[in-house]
Amino acid sequence: MKIRFQVIFFEESQGFFSTMMPIPTIIYNRIHSRKKEQKPSFHNFIQWCKENHVYVFNEAFLNKWHVHTILTENKDLNSHIPFSILYDSHLRLEQFLLEHEDIFIKPVHGSQGRNIVRIQKEHGEYNVKSSSNEHALSRYTSLPRLIDYIKTLNLFDQAIIQQTIPLASNHNRLMDFRFLLIPNKDLQWEVVSAVVRFSKENHFITNLSQGGLIKPAQRFLKKYYGHSYGSEVYDEMKQISKITAAVLSEALSTNLGELGIDLALDVHRNIWIIEVNSKPSKKHESEQAIRPSSRAIAHYFHTIWNERSRLENEVRNSNDE
């Protein structure tokens, strides 16, 4: 007896409905909750998929420190990585603050710009802002008092400490760039879409979930820097994002079929890799009947299915000989 699943679909004409389907060949994990991914039921399901030869890709969120370690070891990318350390001792945080007057503390398991802390040293005081409430500013007159406060945030051994990059801005809005990549029919990473994201005025987070704005990246760069240089910057960003995706997919022991890579330009026009997401938001894509990423993912499904069918046929033929 063949195993069948109860599956829930959505169609505009009839809304949500359920039906029974056979075991899928390919599954794209779009669960947007790290807590749900840590549940035993989810781990059991992933193990069941592996035992039944179901191809699951993007099966987990990425760890920021793990990604940082991989990218800094690549000679083509290490100059584009902000200097960062793991927050594994309070002494290291103190030393970092003595060497840098503007830093970020980012949770290694964070997403959507949540729970990021920025510390700036000005006139002998430490000013602290959090992405959860950028309107609130806390001031500490000494480093020990600041460290005592940071300890209450429970970030120890669960965050990275990173030097602040002086990002380029537009009308007092910091900006970064989201490149969405999916493998093509030759399983080479290709850019499907690219946008520039702007923070709220005088804020430091550009994520749409935190109130940011977006524009098409290539068009903006040509207007911002002029057609020739803007095109050159866009092409370089595109190449860096493709190398980043290829390096990670080779280094990580998991299947990757889509990545959102966040890049930034500083005031000196240097390009920086800010973050890599295995569950990228699709809010930036145009409201077309079929999103570009959805079409590219469907093509990726087809490519993987053809490749698995070819390998299965080779095994079957070799067994018949």
Side-chain angles (χ1 to χ4, degrees):
M1 179 179 179
K2 292 186 176 180
I3 300 175
R4 297 176 72 84
F5 283 91
Q6 183 177 22
V7 180
I8 298 175
F9 287 93
F10 176 82
E11 289 187 359
E12 290 187 3
S13 59
Q14 55 183 321
F16 288 99
F17 66 95
S18 65
T19 186
M20 300 303 292
M21 297 287 289
I23 296 175
T25 306
I26 305 169
I27 293 176
Y28 180 12
N29 171 25
R30 287 291 296 177
I31 293 176
H32 276 275
S33 168
R34 290 179 184 269
K35 289 183 178 179
K36 289 181 179 178
E37 278 195 351
Q38 296 304 314
K39 289 185 175 181
S41 57
F42 178 78
H43 289 287
N44 292 338
F45 174 72
I46 292 297
Q47 184 59 36
W48 182 92
C49 287
K50 292 177 179 179
E51 292 171 355
N52 287 273
H53 309 292
V54 178
Y55 183 90
V56 181
F57 65 94
N58 291 45
E59 68 180 63
F61 283 93
L62 300 178
N63 178 298
K64 285 184 175 62
W65 183 247
H66 191 192
V67 169
H68 173 83
T69 302
I70 292 170
L71 298 184
T72 51
E73 291 176 351
N74 183 276
K75 62 180 178 62
D76 295 319
L77 299 175
N78 56 20
S79 62
H80 299 286
I81 309 298
F83 179 60
S84 308
I85 62 172
L86 185 64
Y87 185 12
D88 55 3
S89 79
H90 302 308
L91 178 59
R92 295 194 75 189
L93 173 59
E94 290 183 30
Q95 291 173 335
F96 205 88
L97 284 166
L98 291 172
E99 297 169 4
H100 305 275
E101 295 190 341
D102 195 343
I103 74 166
F104 282 107
I105 303 178
K106 300 179 178 181
V108 293
H109 299 297
S111 60
Q112 298 184 336
R114 298 193 187 108
N115 303 317
I116 295 175
V117 176
R118 185 176 186 177
I119 304 173
Q120 295 172 289
K121 185 178 180 180
E122 294 179 348
H123 310 299
E125 291 186 332
Y126 296 93
N127 299 329
V128 181
K129 281 187 176 182
S130 170
S131 61
S132 59
N133 185 6
E134 288 196 50
H135 295 290
L137 175 66
S138 301
R139 286 192 174 91
Y140 297 89
T141 56
S142 70
L143 187 53
R145 288 185 178 181
L146 170 65
I147 298 298
D148 286 341
Y149 165 72
I150 297 298
K151 288 178 181 179
T152 66
L153 302 179
N154 297 318
L155 293 170
F156 181 74
D157 215 24
Q158 296 294 321
I160 62 172
I161 306 168
Q162 188 174 88
Q163 69 171 127
T164 298
I165 302 300
L167 298 185
S169 63
N170 185 249
H171 301 297
N172 294 321
R173 294 175 180 267
L174 296 179
M175 59 188 188
D176 67 9
F177 299 80
R178 163 62 61 87
F179 281 72
L180 189 66
L181 294 95
I182 297 171
N184 60 21
K185 61 182 178 62
D186 298 316
L187 297 180
Q188 300 298 309
W189 288 93
E190 291 291 342
V191 173
V192 175
S193 66
V195 297
V196 55
R197 307 183 301 182
F198 301 92
S199 69
K200 289 189 290 186
E201 192 170 344
N202 296 316
H203 285 232
F204 64 81
I205 298 297
T206 61
N207 298 68
L208 297 185
S209 60
Q210 300 290 326
L213 301 174
I214 61 169
K215 291 182 180 180
Q218 190 172 25
R219 189 187 311 165
F220 172 80
L221 285 168
K222 289 179 180 179
K223 183 178 180 180
Y224 191 73
Y225 288 124
H227 188 279
S228 179
Y229 187 69
S231 296
E232 183 181 323
V233 172
Y234 177 79
D235 289 342
E236 186 177 358
M237 283 185 160
K238 188 176 177 180
Q239 183 64 17
I240 289 172
S241 67
K242 290 166 73 170
I243 294 173
T244 300
V247 168
L248 285 176
S249 60
E250 182 178 348
L252 296 172
S253 58
T254 185
N255 301 316
L256 292 174
E258 184 174 38
L259 288 172
I261 298 178
D262 297 342
L263 305 177
L265 287 166
D266 66 19
V267 293
H268 305 293
R269 301 184 180 181
N270 299 308
I271 298 173
W272 298 91
I273 301 170
I274 302 300
E275 190 172 350
V276 182
N277 301 274
S278 60
K279 308 290 184 70
S281 168
K282 304 301 181 70
K283 292 181 181 179
H284 67 275
E285 290 191 288
S286 58
E287 293 300 324
Q288 302 177 17
I290 301 178
R291 287 174 168 173
S293 65
S294 297
R295 192 184 302 275
I297 284 291
H299 290 160
Y300 177 65
F301 278 10
H302 191 254
T303 299
I304 293 299
W305 186 83
N306 281 338
E307 180 65 14
R308 287 167 66 86
S309 297
R310 182 186 65 80
L311 293 174
E312 288 174 1
N313 287 334
E314 287 183 359
V315 171
R316 190 179 299 113
N317 292 334
S318 65
N319 290 337
D320 291 340
E321 293 176 356

